[in-house]
Amino acid sequence: MFGNFTYSNPTKLYFGDESLSYLHDELKNYGPTVMLAYGGGSIKKNGIYDAVCEILHAEGKRIVELPGVMPNPTVEKLYEGARLARENNVDLILAVGGGSTIDYAKGVSCSAWCEEDPWQKYYTRFEEATCKVIPVGAILTMVGTGSEMNGGSVITNHSLGLKVGKVFGDYAFPKFAILNPKYTFTVPQYQMVAGFFDIMSHILEQYLSGSDDNTTDYLAEGLMRSLVHSSRIAVKNPQNYEARSNIMWTATWALNTLIAKGKSTDWEVHMLGQAMGAITDATHGMTLAVVSLPYYRHIINSPNAKEGAVAKFARFAANVWNVDRTGKSEKQMAEEGLKALENWMCEIGLVMHSAELGVTEENIPAIADGTFLLDSGYVTLTRDDVVKILRESM
Ligand code: NZQ
Ligand code: ZN
């Protein structure tokens, strides 16, 4: 490992089926006005809303409701939340939901007191917040993004055809996050497996880069093995607490900054997926699923790939999928590893073709235009490469 780094994570986690009870103590740390941000209503159906409100009332809080945070939250919704938070002088934003709601809460927390246009400041110029930032607490109901323990906040601007992730500093991480695996039992199967692939993709984005021997790569392999094992159980029995709790914990570690430490990372799959999401509004994890294999096959076949590329994919085959190395070249191993990944993706029921997400030959140029091209992975794509990968994803 050659990188120099600082590691700290400011989010306090409460994990387990009794974790909501800790909300009482956490609320005592904040003033009287709590903005309750949530999505399209799933928390009202499964009882989480009532349980949270009961605690808010017991702690004497004034609740400012902010419902209707959509999957892939929009910039218009961000402006609405920022206005509401400022008008009500909110002391804490409590996000109850999946990555969309938590990402959104972070965006609102840094935008409410911002004197500039937050889209311009954070999602175009990628500046840090310089205004008062409202603290965020998270109650996670859907697993995948890692938003519960990171500074990520992804906002979609449909009028510009862009979906952009801003990674805020420590100051915007949730101050606390409550993770009850039982809350994820009601997530629809489509969203559940999309979240599983989001986790896999986060790990791969950080694992498939660099050529040094690196402790975090061994951690990544362990996380992937656990995810594959538990996902197979969860798709057959979504109410299996052991599998769902392991996946919840894996998701958090997959993107809470730890496995990026000391090494290079890629993130081009997310750039492709987010650009596709901006145009189609498709579910995040599914956009990643459809572009991953074409992108990875592009890498292992690219004459310009950086040192260590094929060897890393071969290691992935051996250490994550138990592919036997006997008599095989690194290239054959790499191909077999990707085949094993593909088989698992089909097995858990992911969407494998972008045409099913609304990608057409006509909207490929707009998706290509919205794809940021990064140079930290094994290859740096050109716009032509992006178009080719998008076509192959269909
Ligand atoms: O709107 P509600 O009613 O809450 O329904 C949601 C939504 O329809 C539903 N759901 C969530 N928990 C449920 C449930 N339904 C029943 N029971 C429950 N317990 O699931 C649907 C999807 O929710 P959403 O929050 O959109 O999913 P996810 O957690 O995958 O978040 C996706 C967003 O996070 C961003 C994505 O780009 C996307 O905008 N990401 C955030 C990242 C970060 N902060 O670091 C990184 C990721 O790569 C990702 O980009
Ligand atoms: Zn993701």
Side-chain angles (χ1 to χ4, degrees):
M1 181 165 76
F2 299 119
N4 299 305
F5 59 87
T6 304
Y7 181 69
S8 82
N9 191 306
T11 303
K12 183 166 186 178
L13 281 187
Y14 298 97
F15 194 99
D17 61 355
E18 292 176 359
S19 50
L20 187 65
S21 61
Y22 293 97
L23 182 60
H24 282 286
D25 287 343
E26 281 296 340
L27 289 175
K28 296 186 200 310
N29 297 325
Y30 303 96
T33 305
V34 177
M35 174 177 264
L36 185 58
Y38 56 97
S42 66
I43 63 165
K44 291 201 168 164
K45 291 197 200 103
N46 57 26
I48 299 172
Y49 175 87
D50 288 341
V52 170
C53 285
E54 197 181 310
I55 296 175
L56 287 166
H57 289 136
E59 295 303 324
K61 301 297 179 184
R62 178 170 83 91
I63 302 174
V64 177
E65 293 247 353
L66 181 49
V69 181
M70 61 292 280
N72 310 322
T74 63
V75 68
E76 292 80 14
K77 188 74 183 169
L78 175 69
Y79 294 143
E80 177 198 327
R83 221 171 23 246
L84 195 65
R86 188 171 178 147
E87 278 165 14
N88 286 279
N89 200 11
V90 162
D91 297 302
L92 172 74
I93 304 173
L94 188 59
V96 187
S100 293
T101 301
I102 303 173
D103 277 20
Y104 173 75
K106 291 177 215 168
V108 170
S109 80
C110 294
S111 301
W113 297 97
C114 178
E115 299 301 344
E116 299 162 72
D117 176 355
W119 173 264
Q120 291 296 332
K121 184 175 174 69
Y122 303 132
Y123 299 91
T124 307
R125 301 197 302 272
F126 298 102
E127 292 171 7
E128 295 303 330
T130 43
C131 60
K132 177 173 114 176
V133 174
I134 303 171
V136 170
I139 298 175
L140 187 66
T141 67
M142 145 98 204
V143 163
T145 64
S147 190
E148 65 276 13
M149 203 179 190
N150 70 35
S153 171
V154 183
I155 297 293
T156 298
N157 188 324
H158 287 294
S159 63
L160 297 180
L162 291 175
K163 181 176 182 184
V164 179
K166 161 72 184 162
V167 182
F168 289 106
D170 281 14
Y171 59 85
F173 281 47
K175 300 289 176 235
F176 65 90
I178 291 174
L179 277 61
N180 180 345
K182 284 190 178 160
Y183 287 174
T184 68
F185 285 178
T186 55
V187 173
Q189 188 100 357
Y190 184 91
Q191 293 294 340
M192 178 183 79
V193 296
F196 293 174
F197 193 75
D198 195 20
I199 303 167
M200 177 58 90
S201 182
H202 295 159
I203 304 171
L204 290 175
E205 297 271 34
Q206 297 165 95
Y207 176 77
L208 294 173
S209 51
S211 58
D212 55 334
D213 183 44
N214 196 303
T215 298
T216 53
D217 284 338
Y218 297 87
L219 292 174
E221 287 164 356
L223 292 172
M224 286 188 274
R225 291 179 74 93
S226 173
L227 173 65
V228 170
H229 174 77
S230 293
S231 65
R232 287 183 164 138
I233 298 168
V235 287
K236 291 202 189 84
N237 180 7
Q239 309 267 322
N240 184 304
Y241 183 89
E242 188 180 38
R244 297 303 289 272
S245 64
N246 279 321
I247 295 168
M248 194 172 218
W249 196 216
T250 301
T252 302
W253 283 99
L255 197 51
N256 72 353
T257 77
L258 175 78
I259 65 165
K261 293 300 173 192
K263 70 184 302 288
S264 57
T265 57
D266 185 352
W267 294 106
E268 192 61 52
V269 167
H270 272 66
M271 298 304 104
L272 290 158
Q274 284 174 200
M276 190 179 286
I279 303 298
T280 62
D281 209 25
T283 297
H284 172 65
M286 294 305 185
T287 65
L288 307 175
V290 297
V291 298
S292 288
L293 289 164
Y295 174 63
Y296 292 142
R297 290 191 170 121
H298 173 85
I299 293 175
I300 64 167
N301 290 304
S302 169
N304 303 321
K306 287 181 195 158
E307 184 199 338
V310 174
K312 192 60 166 287
F313 280 86
R315 175 178 161 174
F316 171 64
N319 292 0
V320 178
W321 302 102
N322 301 324
V323 177
D324 183 4
R325 284 187 181 267
T326 316
K328 289 173 197 154
S329 67
E330 295 276 72
K331 181 75 183 300
Q332 281 170 318
M333 283 295 292
E335 283 163 357
E336 286 193 31
L338 291 181
K339 187 67 201 160
L341 174 64
E342 183 173 9
N343 290 343
W344 170 74
M345 292 168 72
C346 293
E347 182 188 334
I348 66 169
L350 292 163
V351 174
M352 301 299 284
H353 301 286
S354 61
E356 291 171 46
L357 302 177
V359 175
T360 61
E361 189 56 40
E362 288 68 44
N363 61 26
I364 281 182
I367 298 172
D369 288 342
T371 303
F372 292 87
L373 304 176
L374 307 176
D375 60 7
S376 52
Y378 287 126
V379 295
T380 304
L381 299 179
T382 63
R383 190 178 184 282
D384 287 349
D385 295 332
V386 170
V387 169
K388 175 178 140 287
I389 288 166
L390 291 171
R391 288 211 175 108
E392 282 169 13
S393 78
M394 292 179 72

